[in-house]
Amino acid sequence: MESESDYSDGFDRLPDPLIHLMFNQISDIKTLIRCRSVSKRFNSLVPQADSLLLRVDRVISSTDSDDDDDSFFIAFLRSIIKSLHHLVSPSKALPSPARSQNSPAQILREFERIRNLQIELPSGDLRLEKGTTIRWKADFGKTLKSCVILGFRSGDGGGGEAELGGGGGAGGGLKMRVVWTISALIAASARHYMMLEVVNEHKELENLVIKDREDEGKVVMDKKGLKECRESQGEGEEAEVNNASSGNGVGLWWRNNRTTVPAVRMRMRHEARMELSGGTKMVGATLVVVRPTNGGGERSEVEEQNGDVGLALGAFGDDPVYCEAVEGLLKSRSYILEMNSF
């Protein structure tokens, strides 16, 4: 004679902590939302998952237009190219556009105690010429703490330096390298702004990564940076946001609004040509380490150089090709540039 327990669902015998562990291993929010329809128990436990991956297909406001999603970005870069030494901060604006149902903040309100969160955007933010590669990683608190940028053009075609915007020597292609740097900083500050609402709403969040499927760039916020960001908002110091639109009022809201980039000091290293051990050839390889000018007081040249090594190797340490490129560039002569807030 079979007892009633023989017909019970095996999942009913599993303790809640084990179910939580399984959901954290799944992490993908779309999958977890589907799991909520499995049973009443799953429906109640899924919102308690604390390690999540949100793959965003599209992040828009109700007024956005697909036709002009890069108009602001291109217009902004054109203004920089015209005058690299006269960057003017756009007027500050604090109104927040209405989000659609695809807003990350709205989706994440389904979950109660997020600790580790990774957002994956559909694509990188930069509009690069064919053959150009840029990789960057930015660390944020309430504003930028550091950013590491690696840029190069692939192949061994002639005229590499000319294609980068100038003659040889230290100044060869400087304009293009500065544009690469500013482009990455704009992209990073836009991603940071996009997540301010999420950071403020989820008080238990300890680790946040915003990346893209192309692995172009990554914004990271650790526990200390997240706390600093919340406190700045809680004290009424609204995050400084530039509503730098192209004039027609359209475009992706998280690209058209960004946290202000503070005044920064950039240490740049460059090699006209590099060939790595695996045969990869880089033209105009450039490494830039960016820090706020007021981010830690006066430091000696040696301290700053040592800090560069740690930041740069930490940014690309999971990719052997980029890691080798960074190690080679760290041996090159460095140049210092400073830029006002924008």
Side-chain angles (χ1 to χ4, degrees):
M1 183 85 179
E2 293 179 329
S3 65
E4 184 178 346
S5 61
D6 293 330
Y7 294 97
S8 63
D9 189 335
F11 272 107
D12 290 339
R13 301 172 186 164
L14 297 178
D16 286 355
L18 185 56
I19 300 293
H20 288 151
L21 180 61
M22 293 169 58
F23 287 158
N24 286 336
Q25 290 296 314
I26 293 172
S27 76
D28 179 66
I29 286 181
K30 290 182 180 179
T31 303
L32 290 173
I33 289 175
R34 294 190 186 103
C35 288
R36 298 191 67 172
S37 63
V38 171
S39 66
K40 290 182 178 180
R41 187 184 184 203
F42 273 30
N43 185 56
S44 65
L45 293 178
V46 162
Q48 299 177 35
D50 56 31
S51 294
L52 300 175
L53 167 62
L54 174 58
R55 292 186 172 95
V56 180
D57 296 321
R58 198 166 181 234
V59 186
I60 62 173
S61 75
S62 58
T63 60
D64 282 333
S65 166
D66 292 337
D67 297 333
D68 298 296
D69 67 345
D70 63 352
S71 55
F72 152 70
F73 191 79
I74 294 173
F76 194 88
L77 284 186
R78 284 175 179 165
S79 69
I80 291 170
I81 293 172
K82 289 180 181 179
S83 178
L84 292 175
H85 301 290
H86 296 87
L87 289 173
V88 179
S89 298
S91 58
K92 299 172 185 176
L94 297 175
S96 178
R99 274 72 165 172
S100 73
Q101 62 181 356
N102 292 322
S103 162
Q106 291 188 350
I107 295 171
L108 292 168
R109 289 188 188 119
E110 299 281 335
F111 297 86
E112 300 169 359
R113 54 179 190 184
I114 305 172
R115 288 190 172 87
N116 301 292
L117 175 62
Q118 182 172 242
I119 306 289
E120 186 180 274
L121 302 176
S123 64
D125 304 286
L126 309 187
R127 303 294 185 264
L128 302 175
E129 295 180 5
K130 185 177 180 180
T132 301
T133 299
I134 294 180
R135 293 290 184 268
W136 55 267
K137 178 182 178 183
D139 185 11
F140 274 84
K142 67 178 179 181
T143 186
L144 180 72
K145 296 168 70 175
S146 68
C147 185
V148 179
I149 302 149
L150 174 66
F152 62 91
R153 299 196 67 172
S154 57
D156 55 359
E161 283 299 293
E163 292 173 6
L164 286 173
L174 178 60
K175 180 190 294 185
M176 183 57 69
R177 294 175 202 129
V178 172
V179 169
W180 284 353
T181 301
I182 294 174
S183 302
L185 291 175
I186 292 172
S189 61
R191 294 188 188 186
H192 179 259
Y193 175 85
M194 179 183 70
M195 298 308 298
L196 290 179
E197 188 176 1
V198 172
V199 170
N200 196 44
E201 290 182 357
H202 295 274
K203 307 297 185 183
E204 297 184 19
L205 189 61
E206 298 178 353
N207 182 55
L208 172 62
V209 176
I210 310 108
K211 56 178 293 185
D212 57 86
R213 292 174 194 170
E214 299 170 358
D215 284 328
E216 179 184 272
K218 181 187 297 184
V219 167
V220 298
M221 298 179 73
D222 59 16
K223 187 175 182 178
K224 182 178 179 181
L226 289 162
K227 180 181 178 182
E228 178 186 287
C229 187
R230 291 189 198 101
E231 288 177 347
S232 70
Q233 295 182 73
E235 293 168 359
E237 298 177 4
E238 298 280 0
E240 292 188 3
V241 176
N242 294 323
N243 188 18
S245 65
S246 61
N248 57 11
V250 296
L252 293 176
W253 65 265
W254 56 273
R255 287 179 182 168
N256 287 359
N257 298 273
R258 58 182 179 84
T259 304
T260 298
V261 177
V264 294
R265 178 181 173 91
M266 306 181 293
R267 185 179 291 273
M268 182 180 294
R269 296 171 174 85
H270 169 255
E271 288 290 339
R273 298 181 186 279
M274 291 181 66
E275 183 169 355
L276 307 183
S277 59
T280 301
K281 297 179 180 179
M282 297 181 173
V283 177
T286 303
L287 176 68
V288 186
V289 178
V290 182
R291 295 188 185 88
T293 54
N294 59 351
E298 295 294 329
R299 300 194 305 171
S300 70
E301 182 75 9
V302 173
E303 289 175 330
E304 192 167 286
Q305 295 269 16
N306 290 337
D308 285 0
V309 173
L311 285 173
L313 293 179
F316 309 110
D318 56 348
D319 188 300
V321 173
Y322 298 140
C323 186
E324 183 181 350
V326 166
E327 289 177 346
L329 286 165
L330 284 170
K331 300 173 185 176
S332 303
R333 181 180 178 183
S334 63
Y335 303 88
I336 301 296
L337 298 89
E338 294 190 354
M339 185 176 298
N340 292 333
S341 176
F342 63 93

